[in-house]
Amino acid sequence: MNVLILQGSPRAKGNTAWMAEAFKNAAEAAGHEVTLVNVAKKKIAGCLACEYCHNKGNGACIQKDDMQELYPLMNEAEVLIRAAPIYYFTLCAQIQAPIQRMYCVNAPKKVKKMGLLMSSYSPGVYDGATAEFRDICNYWKVENMGAVTAKIDEQKTDATMQKVLELAGRI
């Protein structure tokens, strides 16, 4: 399957990046085609709610930023994995922008499954992000593969690695 991982942490060697890379390696080892994009290094603005996409744009966003690189990747992906740190009880802005910018096309065309990787320094901060993820899965009518969380004492551990590998095995 064609797997797209959107990694939203600005820390290239951080906990979220570690989980995303582990998922990528496991999926590739299982024979899947995997693209990992660090969206934290991209310039992607939030949706302007201008409705250009639904009127004059015929499904194309009026904004011309790095999201132009992601639209084709997201439209070809069969599995979409979001990897993000939790900042203030929700997914970081870097991962939110590309998902919200899919408003112009409603949903990626081929995505059948979605998974979520989250890290945080605090326990008990995942409910909002998990609910949003579940709701997007339902709205896009895709299979919810599940989520892996890693709070401070679970980061870069063998137990978390095992959970990431199990999630990759659900492709």
Side-chain angles (χ1 to χ4, degrees):
M1 293 191 97
N2 185 329
V3 179
L4 175 61
I5 304 169
L6 300 180
Q7 196 283 104
S9 175
R11 296 176 54 218
K13 301 285 185 197
N15 303 304
T16 302
W18 177 82
M19 289 194 296
E21 191 65 34
F23 188 98
K24 177 183 184 285
N25 293 339
E28 286 177 338
H32 302 287
E33 181 181 326
V34 182
T35 302
L36 191 153
V37 179
N38 184 349
V39 296
K41 301 299 182 194
K42 303 288 183 185
K43 298 292 183 202
I44 302 173
C47 177
L48 298 173
C50 66
E51 290 298 324
Y52 174 87
C53 59
H54 293 135
N55 296 310
K56 295 177 186 174
N58 295 316
C61 182
I62 195 168
Q63 299 184 84
K64 304 303 178 214
D65 56 14
D66 290 344
M67 191 63 193
Q68 302 309 307
E69 300 169 28
L70 292 184
Y71 286 126
L73 294 174
M74 290 182 78
N75 281 327
E76 289 302 314
E78 298 167 284
V79 176
L80 178 61
I81 303 299
R82 292 193 294 166
I86 299 297
Y87 295 159
Y88 222 71
F89 300 94
T90 192
L91 298 171
C92 66
Q94 293 90 332
I95 203 76
Q96 292 284 27
I99 295 302
Q100 292 175 1
R101 287 281 295 281
M102 289 306 291
Y103 173 71
C104 66
V105 295
N106 193 40
K109 294 175 181 163
K110 297 180 181 178
V111 171
K112 296 173 183 69
K113 299 179 179 189
M114 283 180 43
L116 183 60
L117 304 169
M118 298 178 282
S119 65
S120 174
Y121 282 101
S122 303
V125 296
Y126 303 107
D127 290 348
T130 302
E132 175 191 298
F133 172 72
R134 179 200 63 233
D135 291 346
I136 291 173
C137 287
N138 290 339
Y139 181 72
W140 286 358
K141 296 177 177 56
V142 300
E143 179 184 329
N144 179 340
M145 295 170 51
V148 175
T149 63
K151 61 182 175 38
I152 188 66
D153 61 337
E154 299 168 328
Q155 295 171 353
K156 297 184 181 177
T157 64
D158 291 341
T160 297
M161 175 62 80
Q162 186 59 41
K163 291 176 186 176
V164 171
L165 297 177
E166 288 170 10
L167 184 66
R170 295 182 196 140
I171 295 176

